Each structure stands twice: as structure tokens, then as C-alpha cells.
Amino acid sequence: MEDRYNFKAIEKKWQKIWEDEKIYHVEIDDKKEKFYALVEFPYPSGQGLHVGHPRSYTALDVISRKKRMQGYNVLYPMGFDAFGLPAENYAIKTGIHPAISTAENIKNFTRQLKSLGFSFDWDRCIDTSSPEYYKWTQWMFLQLYKHGLAYKDKIAINWCPSCKVGLANEEVVNGHCERCGAEVVHKNKEQWMIAITKYADRLIDDLEELDFIDRVKTQQINWIGRSDGAELDFEFGDDKLTVFTTRPDTAFGVTYMVLAPEHQFVQKYMSRFENQAEIKAYVEETSKKSDLERTANDEKTGVELKGIKAKNPYTGEMIPVFISDYVLTGYGTGAIMAVPAHDSRDYAFAKLFNLPMIQVLEGGDISKEAFEDDGLHINSGFLNGLNKDEGMKKAIEYAVQNGFGRAKVNYKLRDWVFSRQRYWGEPIPMVYCEHCGWQPIDEKDLPLTLPNVQDFLPNDEGESPLSKATDWVNTTCPKCGGKARRETDVMPNWAGSSWYFLRYTDPKNDKEFASKEALKYWMNVDWYNGGMEHTTLHLLYSRFWHKFLYDCGYVPTKEPYNKRTSHGMILASNGEKMSKSRGNVVNPDEIVENYGADTFRLYEMFIGPFDQAAQWSEESLMGVYRFVSKVYALFKKVYRNEDVSMSAADLRAMHKCILDVTERVDQMKFNTAVSSLMTYVNHLSSMEKIPVQMYETLLKLLSPFTPHLSEEMWARLGYSDSVVLASWPIGDKKLAQDDVVTIAVQINGKMRGTIEIEKDSDDEDVKKAALALENVARQTAESGIKKIIVVKNRIVNIVA
RNA sequence: GCGGACGUGGCGAAAUUGGCAGACGCGCCAGACUUAGGAUCUGGUGCCGAAAGGCGUGCGGGUUCAAGUCCCUCCGUCCGCACCA
């Protein structure tokens, strides 16, 4: 046997064997319980894998490998989210077609992923930019269209002037483009929209039965932003001005109203306002402001619409109407009833314009600030004496009876802006005919493939590069056969990823996106790990998408993922985010070259709590390398069971390790699982001769983390079958426990010594032993003993 | 501003959920073997103290025989939402 731990030879050897024997390939097997583990598939960028990616991949690889050894039929797939802007930007710079650079990048990613020994079923690898795949993305878009959930609308969308592309609300972070960080502007554009808001309630309510980490649930709930309230109609001239409010019970306290400057009434009744110049100037001014400027400053501004007053339907009172940019056009009806006594924003505005306030709830001190809590109603006619909940019910009831209002639920969630003015994405399978309007192309003509273009430049007007491919654009109407033009925008990169987990179950199917049997057997995803940054993007989109397919009867379950967890980022050794521009990116290739994939994998699991950010440290990596080498070296001391025997302490160490690792992997406490393995190895190191059973157990427990080394040593023990096929050891709690325990002895809560005593000893015996300590006798000599507390097998506290 | 998470040695971190704080690893110190390699092995390592002992989980208080863990005040860091009516 070679003395040196030659990880290069070992890893190369086993990767080849696994690949040749397709050891991780899975098929439907009704005799076995399935387990579907999923990690977010990468965008194949030109930079290749960085050390952040494998944190998630290794974690679920560990879980998958353990589940396999526990007898499950495990699906652990990988693929590529291959449409997207970087490839296109690269093409603009270099002229290299995105299809070519993407294929190269996928090759490189695949090489890197394989070098890390993940147990992916590579036969199921998918590429969202291949026509075989995006045929089905397009097909699903057509289903959305046919069910009225995809529609074209001209709205003010978020536009990134740097990427030259429209963005969905979810892609705007604090007024900036999620991808490039440029400030987003508004642009009125015809867009394909997806009616995700129709699913808002179910996207919230169905979270309840899912095993998602709380952070994810609350973020999705907040993003959807459901609020219960009412719509109320106020007379405004001879028109009706409708507002949304969550507090209809405070309607007796309304002293004025406010419209968003963009509200249609402002233009509609302009001729009737007395201060038109002032109003127009204000509207003009706000239209120039970005969202960021509008919200950054909470000082209120506004202008009264002089000439028309509104009538409070509850009191009959005539009240002034203002426009102000603190009222948003996109939320509710773009108009509010202002209750300055009980809303801090209205309060600030009323103070500024010296408007009256009417307190309608008991409590607080409205001379100082708005009172926003619950209280009994006053000054409120028929609502007097009621609290908030009762008041709400009564107020809505009254509005319904008198025909000026209704209960209403409002959402912050907007419909999904689905058009991207770009080239490298799925063509939207729609054509525009002057006679028939927008028409879907026939399903049998799918896929609608991307034409090969040379010029990838989008323009500032927001036209896709596809619009220049006239041969492709000009087509015939599927309905009347007349002249028609294809849609030239493409889908967002969130389209392909909205259903990729379904494709993995049956990736080669050319009749349907996946067969019923495959979906029935493999779905749901049992465990999905991914980044927090996708919570209100991919994760929300794909839940919606899946629900839609469920409603159509195409998938058997109403939710796609049973369990969702999230990993922390890996930071550079100086604590900064790793990035090309900072020049601090650690390339996994380098680590694999110098220390091997097993060390790399184990280090990623040992680096720190899985859900928290962790700093890369080459020194700590060295420690893990030493550990892995030690495991290799221990082999020399392994003896057959007939030559050596296991002491109770050996047995204890082994079972404790089995129990720890089993439990901690399930809880994603990988760092402490590795600690436990280290403790066990320290025990083995201290032995002269290691019984083979103890070393075998080590290899099994270690195999999810360091599969190559485990496989090699397993073979050297004489096994011809892979350790992947071995069964996971079962720990015995009884054997893991010591029959002698060390009990701490405290005096007044302070440690004064320890006693060794038989486990589960009588309290009296424990007391006796504790009092026999020289230290105890000395320290209690003066004060005497008041009380002794014994906690079984743990502690004795003597109160002196 | 609102909401959430967190704060433990020189460093990364553990702590069966109220019961010996600092497991495991890094680093450091000493020794062994080799002796020029960032190699390997053994022992040590929270702080102060010669020792007895004292002090220690962001600060201050509280509950308890016993608090990193529970309660209150404050400070700090990170994340999410951000005029959503």
C-alpha cells in the first residue's frame, strides 16, 4: 500500500468508476421509498464555479448519500439555467454567439462539478436554453395564455437603463436593478404580464403546511403583502372617488382626502380646478422624481385640488381633496381617505397644511402624535363604544347597506412583468395580426426556436435585438393566415427555472414535459436548498407556476417543495464578499488540485454553521486536510476482529459518533457532525490496533463527506461493492452511554470539584461522595450546610 | 422608522435547551524526531495569580440552589421591509 495519501490518484480513479458504472443513476422503483433532493441549478457563467456554489451542493450531496445508504431511492439532479444576460453581454463585446459561449461554460461547469464528486444523476442533466427544454417552457406559457393568466398590458414598468431591459418588481432592490445595481427608471411599455396576483391568497395560505424555514415564509408573506380592509366610495363632484382603507372604522375621523399625482381624476377634472397651474407644476415635478427620491424623503408635500370637494359618506361632511406623492399610484386605488388623528402619515400632512383632526378612538395624545392603536370609538355616530374589530365590521356593513362600499383585500404583490427586450431567452410564442390581434402559435409548432442573429445590441427605446431579424419576425397569422409579426421580446430567465424540478423527473420525454408516472413517483421535492436572494423571485414564481399546472391537472401536487432551507454565503478571507472586481475569488479548481476534492468538501461542511455566512480560511482548510490524511494513515493499524477486541470505551466512542453524525446531518449541523467524526478519529488514533469494525464504521459515516477516500479505503478493506451501496450504521443509545459519570460538585453554584460515580446512583450516595471531597469539607466548615440539590448524573449543588 | 436574527478565548466555533462554559478545528507555546522545506508525533493553551483562589458568554439590573440559555433596560452588528393607506 502506498504510504502517502495520494488524493489525486484516488479521486480520479473513483470518479471514473462511478461514471462508468453509472452508480448514481436512478430509475423509478416502486419497491423503494423515493427521496428527491434539490439544489438550485447554476447559471453557467464564464467565471466558472466559485467556492460558494459547492456549499449548497455538498450539503445536499451529504444528505443524498446518507439517504441512499439508509435505503431510499434518491434523485439528486443537476442542470443549467442557461438563458440570461451575461452570455448576451459577452456576445455584444466579443461577437461570440451566446449559444457557443454557453455551451463552453456548461462544459467547464460540468468538469468542475464532476471533479468534486457529487452524486448527481448526470443522465438527467438539463439545459434550459436547449429547444428540447424550452419547447415546454413555451408550451406552459401558452397554457397560461389560454387560461387568461398571460396578458399584454401597457403599464409603467421598471426599466434598467444599464441592462436596457424591463424588470419585474421582484428584480428591483431599493430602486436599483437587482443584477447590475443601476438606478431603475419608469418606462411605459407594452408588456406580457402573468397574473400571479390571482394566486396571492393561496401562495400565503399554503405556506402553512410546508416545512420552510421561517425567514422564507415571512419574507414571502410580507412580499405578497395581504391586507384586509374595505373600498369606500366618496362623492367627488358628480363622480365617485374610491379609496382603499384598512381602517374603515375610523371613517368618522376623515378630514381630507389625498390622490396620487398620477390619479386619473387629476387630468380628468383639470378644467374644473381653480389652481391649475399649481397642480400641473406639482404633477410635473413628481413625474421627474425617481421612486427612490420620492420615498427617500418623508417630508410631506402636496397641493389642494381647489374647486371640487369630496363628501364623507358616513358624515355627509364636505372635505378638501389634495394630491401628494406620499400616496402611491400602484397600491390600492391610488387614493386615500386621510384620518390624521390615527395615521402618522396623514398626521404629518395635516400638521403641514393646518388641517383639522377629529379623534375617533379613545387613547393616546393627538396633540403630540397620531394614535394608531386600538381603542373605543368616540365621535363616530353608530360606532361609538365599539373597539377596532367590531367597528370595522359595523362600518363595512353600513357601507354595503348604503351602497357606497364593500370589504376588500389588497395585495402589495403586482402581476409579473414577463417581457425582456433581449435576445438570449425563450421566444414568446405569440404573433400579432392586424385583424385578429395577439394570437398564440399552434402547440404543434413548438418549439419556436431562436433565430440565429449577428447583432445582439438592444436599443434605448427598448426594442429587442430580435426585432431586427425580419425573416423571423414576419410570419403569418395562425388564425386568418394573413400577415403577422412575431413577438420580439423574450421571457425572463425566471421562466425556465419555474419548472425545471419537474423536468428532472423525466428529462428526455418528447411527448410531454414529464410523464404522469414520473411526476407521481418523484414529486414532491423532499428537500430544496437554495439562496435567500431567491425567496421572492424564483421560489415564489415557481410555487405559483406549479400551482397553475396543478389547477390544469398537469402535476399531482399543489406545492412543489416540501422543505426549504438556505445556506449562508462564503466570504473571502478578509471578510469581504468574493468578487472578480475585488480579486479575492477562490477557485475550487485550485483547492482540488492542492488538497483534493474530499478535503474541499469536508472543509465546506466544517467551515461554520451552514445557514450563516462563513469566512474562507486556508489555515482551517489545512486542518481538515490533516484530518483526512490521518484517516488514510489509520488504515495501517486496522486489524481483523479475531486479532483485536473492542473495549466498552471503544464501543461507546463508535456509537456516540454514529448517533451524532446521523442526527446532525439531518439537522444540517454539518460543522458539528464533522467535529464528532474528528473526536472519533482522535479516539482511533490513540489505539494501538483498530478493530476493522471501528474503521468500517468510520468509512461509512465519512463517505457522504469524503466519498473518494471512503470508497478507496473500503475497497482496500476487501469489499468489491461500493460503499455507496453499504448500509448506514445504526447507533445504540445504551452502548453510547458511559456506566460511570462525572458529576460536578458546586458550593453555592460555584464549581468546587468533581466526583466519579456509577451512573444513576442513588442521590444519597452522590451526596455522600460529594461531601467527602476535601475541598467541600474545608469550604463548608464555617457556614455549615443548608441544603443539597442533586440533579441525576449531572450536578450536586451544596447551599452553604 | 417597523420587523427579525445575532453578540461566547488571539481566531472559526460548541454547549443534550436552566445543570462542569469554551467540544472540535486554527493559531500559539514547549518537547520529540528529523534537523534548512508551511512535514510528522507528544503535551500544554479563557483571563489574573507563585499558589490558594478570584474573574469570565456586548453593558447594567432581575428571577433561580444554579443563567451563555429565562425576564427588563441600554449598546453594537447583520438581514428583511421601507410613505402599502
Side-chain angles (χ1 to χ4, degrees):
Chain A
M1 167 177 144
E2 199 180 350
D3 241 22
R4 193 172 60 97
Y5 167 45
N6 185 350
F7 56 83
K8 270 188 204 167
I10 292 172
E11 291 175 2
K12 208 177 138 198
K13 168 183 164 190
W14 287 104
Q15 282 168 16
K16 182 162 189 317
I17 292 173
W18 294 333
E19 182 148 3
D20 290 349
E21 295 183 359
K22 287 185 184 283
I23 194 156
Y24 305 119
H25 178 72
V26 276
E27 288 296 338
I28 293 175
D29 180 352
D30 288 315
K31 290 190 294 294
K32 270 184 166 179
E33 194 173 339
K34 67 94 185 178
F35 186 83
Y36 186 175
L38 185 67
V39 286
E40 288 172 346
F41 62 163
Y43 172 77
S45 74
Q47 287 113 56
L49 226 52
H50 71 85
V51 293
H53 289 110
R55 196 178 193 189
S56 172
Y57 306 160
T58 308
L60 281 230
D61 193 49
V62 169
I63 288 165
S64 294
R65 286 176 179 274
K66 171 168 164 283
K67 286 279 182 190
R68 256 180 226 116
M69 293 172 76
Q70 288 176 316
Y72 289 86
N73 195 28
V74 175
L75 172 58
Y76 187 40
M78 179 45 76
F80 298 98
D81 193 10
F83 274 132
L85 280 181
E88 193 167 336
N89 291 337
Y90 185 70
I92 291 167
K93 225 174 9 183
T94 63
I96 296 170
H97 196 280
I100 292 170
S101 60
T102 300
E104 256 171 40
N105 292 345
I106 287 179
K107 223 170 114 194
N108 187 42
F109 263 73
T110 305
R111 175 192 62 78
Q112 288 189 301
L113 290 168
K114 285 187 175 171
S115 80
L116 291 171
F118 296 125
S119 62
F120 298 130
D121 178 356
W122 282 104
D123 289 345
R124 292 174 186 264
C125 188
I126 57 177
D127 164 1
T128 57
S129 71
S130 71
E132 297 76 40
Y133 183 90
Y134 71 68
K135 168 182 178 174
W136 298 108
T137 312
Q138 291 173 329
W139 179 83
M140 288 171 191
F141 177 89
L142 289 181
Q143 307 313 309
L144 285 162
Y145 176 80
K146 286 169 186 171
H147 286 81
L149 291 172
Y151 61 97
K152 194 128 199 190
D153 196 11
K154 183 161 187 167
I155 59 157
I157 59 150
N158 300 299
W159 176 264
C160 173
S162 160
C163 298
K164 295 186 171 45
V165 75
L167 302 174
N169 265 14
E170 289 78 13
E171 292 172 302
V172 181
V173 179
N174 285 331
H176 295 274
C177 170
E178 177 240 4
R179 189 164 289 281
C180 74
E183 192 168 333
V184 163
V185 297
H186 284 272
K187 201 177 180 103
N188 279 303
K189 270 196 76 64
E190 277 232 329
Q191 301 289 330
W192 283 103
M193 305 283 296
I194 308 281
I196 188 172
T197 51
K198 290 225 165 89
Y199 283 73
D201 277 321
R202 287 162 64 191
L203 287 170
I204 289 180
D205 297 339
D206 292 349
L207 279 174
E208 200 163 326
E209 62 213 62
L210 299 177
D211 182 14
F212 285 16
I213 52 172
D214 283 340
R215 281 194 298 162
V216 168
K217 286 191 184 184
T218 45
Q219 262 186 52
Q220 290 204 343
I221 290 167
N222 291 343
W223 184 258
I224 295 166
R226 174 161 65 187
S227 36
D228 288 299
E231 267 183 3
L232 301 174
D233 308 325
F234 285 59
E235 274 178 34
F236 178 78
D238 13 285
D239 211 334
K240 271 193 322 200
L241 176 56
T242 305
V243 300
F244 172 73
T245 176
T246 54
R247 297 297 302 272
D249 61 305
T250 61
F252 285 87
V254 174
T255 54
Y256 65 100
M257 300 184 79
V258 188
L259 308 184
E262 297 88 348
H263 195 282
Q264 52 152 337
F265 279 14
V266 178
Q267 297 309 322
K268 194 171 172 188
Y269 295 111
M270 186 63 84
S271 59
R272 290 171 56 189
F273 298 138
E274 293 159 9
N275 53 338
Q276 289 179 32
E278 200 188 355
I279 294 167
K280 283 178 183 162
Y282 187 80
V283 171
E284 173 72 19
E285 197 186 310
T286 39
S287 74
K288 279 195 207 131
K289 283 194 202 164
S290 70
D291 275 3
L292 215 59
E293 291 170 307
R294 253 175 97 154
T295 55
N297 183 347
D298 19 280
E299 275 166 47
K300 302 280 182 283
T301 57
V303 173
E304 186 178 351
L305 301 175
K306 290 184 180 147
I308 305 180
K309 290 215 184 290
K311 185 174 163 190
N312 184 336
Y314 287 89
T315 61
E317 196 114 4
M318 299 306 289
I319 51 176
V321 182
F322 291 77
I323 54 171
S324 172
D325 64 3
Y326 86 89
V327 174
L328 306 175
T329 178
Y331 186 76
T333 63
I336 62 151
M337 60 178 218
V339 187
H342 304 288
D343 181 290
S344 58
R345 294 153 304 177
D346 299 343
Y347 188 90
F349 190 84
K351 278 281 178 209
L352 195 69
F353 285 83
N354 241 325
L355 296 161
M357 294 185 199
I358 304 169
Q359 181 161 12
V360 293
L361 289 165
E362 252 173 11
D365 177 4
I366 68 157
S367 67
K368 290 207 186 81
E369 57 183 1
F371 174 68
E372 295 182 320
D373 294 335
D374 198 357
L376 295 182
H377 286 74
I378 52 173
N379 301 325
S380 294
F382 64 90
L383 297 178
N384 282 340
L386 302 177
N387 66 13
K388 178 178 159 185
D389 283 348
E390 296 159 345
M392 296 260 287
K393 258 171 79 182
K394 262 274 161 60
I396 294 172
E397 217 170 81
Y398 180 83
V400 170
Q401 275 162 14
N402 291 278
F404 68 82
R406 60 222 74 91
K408 167 87 182 171
V409 183
N410 227 316
Y411 304 94
K412 232 168 72 180
L413 182 72
R414 310 280 77 183
D415 274 348
W416 179 7
V417 173
F418 203 67
S419 301
R420 294 294 179 277
Q421 298 69 26
R422 282 300 188 130
Y423 170 73
W424 192 234
E426 300 87 347
I428 295 174
M430 302 290 296
V431 300
Y432 184 76
C433 166
E434 278 178 26
H435 304 288
C436 314
W438 283 104
Q439 292 297 324
I441 72 170
D442 207 307
E443 284 179 18
K444 70 174 190 315
D445 294 331
L446 294 177
L448 169 61
T449 51
L450 261 177
N452 201 343
V453 305
Q454 302 304 321
D455 176 4
F456 305 101
L457 267 181
N459 64 22
D460 291 328
E461 282 71 61
E463 284 208 323
S464 158
L466 276 177
S467 58
K468 288 174 260 183
T470 44
D471 284 355
W472 183 81
V473 172
N474 293 319
T475 183
T476 52
C477 173
K479 195 171 175 194
C480 72
K483 270 195 192 169
R485 288 174 56 83
R486 290 193 193 283
E487 170 61 63
T488 58
D489 285 350
V490 298
M491 298 188 200
N493 62 323
W494 311 108
S497 58
S498 286
W499 69 280
Y500 76 113
F501 49 90
L502 299 171
R503 188 63 174 173
Y504 281 142
T505 67
D506 193 10
K508 305 254 157 52
N509 197 325
D510 59 359
K511 304 279 183 299
E512 29 187 0
F513 65 86
S515 75
K516 286 262 185 298
E517 307 93 272
L519 290 169
K520 187 161 182 294
Y521 182 77
W522 290 115
M523 288 302 286
N524 282 351
V525 173
D526 291 285
W527 194 332
Y528 190 18
N529 187 77
M532 277 311 288
E533 69 276 16
H534 292 135
T535 302
T536 55
L537 287 156
H538 157 67
L539 195 70
L540 192 65
Y541 292 147
S542 58
R543 286 184 58 222
F544 153 72
W545 196 284
H546 189 84
K547 282 180 176 302
F548 166 71
L549 294 176
Y550 172 73
D551 287 350
C552 299
Y554 294 125
V555 295
T557 58
K558 63 179 182 176
E559 284 281 342
Y561 320 119
N562 291 342
K563 180 182 177 108
R564 169 76 177 189
T565 53
S566 198
H567 55 273
M569 240 192 312
I570 292 201
L571 306 170
S573 44
N574 57 4
E576 289 177 336
K577 227 169 155 168
M578 278 190 199
S579 72
K580 211 173 45 168
S581 55
R582 289 196 180 90
N584 57 8
V585 176
V586 179
N587 186 336
D589 287 345
E590 233 174 85
I591 308 299
V592 171
E593 172 69 21
N594 295 331
Y595 303 97
D598 283 334
T599 295
F600 178 81
R601 294 168 55 108
L602 194 65
Y603 175 59
E604 290 243 334
M605 294 296 93
F606 187 61
I607 193 166
F610 181 67
D611 58 348
Q612 284 166 42
Q615 264 182 46
W616 187 263
S617 152
E618 190 128 352
E619 282 92 48
S620 295
L621 180 102
M622 278 296 299
V624 172
Y625 178 75
R626 276 199 280 271
F627 167 79
V628 174
S629 311
K630 211 189 283 182
V631 172
Y632 178 87
L634 284 178
F635 185 84
K636 289 197 295 276
K637 300 202 288 180
V638 174
Y639 289 84
R640 290 277 141 207
N641 281 350
E642 51 265 29
D643 302 328
V644 285
S645 61
M646 282 166 81
S647 69
D650 296 338
L651 217 55
R652 203 150 54 228
M654 187 175 88
H655 282 277
K656 180 141 183 16
C657 187
I658 296 170
L659 289 167
D660 279 354
V661 174
T662 305
E663 182 181 293
R664 291 173 181 179
V665 166
D666 289 340
Q667 297 169 339
M668 294 194 127
K669 289 183 176 175
F670 302 110
N671 54 333
T672 57
V674 177
S675 298
S676 192
L677 286 161
M678 287 172 167
T679 305
Y680 183 49
V681 165
N682 288 344
H683 181 94
L684 297 181
S685 298
S686 68
M687 297 170 76
E688 287 289 312
K689 294 178 167 184
I690 300 168
V692 68
Q693 195 200 343
M694 291 187 81
Y695 193 68
E696 273 182 13
T697 301
L698 173 67
L699 294 181
K700 286 185 188 178
L701 294 175
L702 213 42
S703 68
F705 298 90
T706 58
H708 311 86
L709 175 68
S710 303
E711 198 76 294
E712 174 69 19
M713 303 325 277
W714 188 253
R716 288 189 194 183
L717 285 176
Y719 288 102
S720 50
D721 271 350
S722 165
V723 72
V724 171
L725 306 169
S727 59
W728 188 255
I730 293 167
D732 184 328
K733 274 196 186 130
K734 279 203 200 82
L735 292 175
Q737 279 170 351
D738 207 334
D739 39 6
V740 175
V741 289
T742 309
I743 292 178
V745 179
Q746 298 182 334
I747 297 174
N748 291 334
K750 287 192 177 140
M751 258 291 284
R752 287 295 126 116
T754 56
I755 50 172
E756 301 255 310
I757 198 160
E758 212 174 299
K759 189 163 169 285
D760 297 323
S761 290
D762 231 52
D763 284 4
E764 286 310 313
D765 296 340
V766 174
K767 275 185 201 172
K768 227 179 277 170
L771 291 172
L773 285 179
E774 180 258 343
N775 222 357
V776 172
R778 184 158 47 87
Q779 300 218 17
T780 55
E782 277 182 42
S783 49
I785 292 165
K786 295 201 185 76
K787 195 175 165 189
I788 301 177
I789 291 145
V790 181
V791 180
K792 237 186 197 11
N793 300 328
R794 289 202 191 288
I795 210 161
V796 182
N797 193 7
I798 299 163
V799 186

